[in-house]
Amino acid sequence: MPSLILGAGAEFDLSGNTSIAAGLTYNNGFTDITTDKNNNIRNHYLGINFGVFF
């Protein structure tokens, strides 16, 4: 299923080899994900990403 995915984020050094990363991801689905002819459902979501690297 085709979709448009946009994302942005950043990584910040804390100390030594430790850093944190954070970002946002938006997914905009273009196609109907159901087989029901009475409904038109598409997959859209906003994701928050967070990570700690050691």
Side-chain angles (χ1 to χ4, degrees):
M1 289 182 261
S3 64
L4 172 69
I5 301 173
L6 299 173
E11 184 176 341
F12 303 98
D13 289 330
L14 293 179
S15 65
N17 291 334
T18 305
S19 62
I20 60 172
L24 288 172
T25 304
Y26 175 69
N27 185 325
N28 183 13
F30 294 131
T31 57
D32 188 5
I33 61 173
T34 65
T35 57
D36 185 2
K37 300 298 181 194
N38 296 324
N39 293 316
N40 186 3
I41 300 174
R42 296 186 178 152
N43 188 21
H44 305 291
Y45 66 85
L46 180 65
I48 301 171
N49 308 310
F50 181 78
V52 179
F53 300 106
F54 299 100

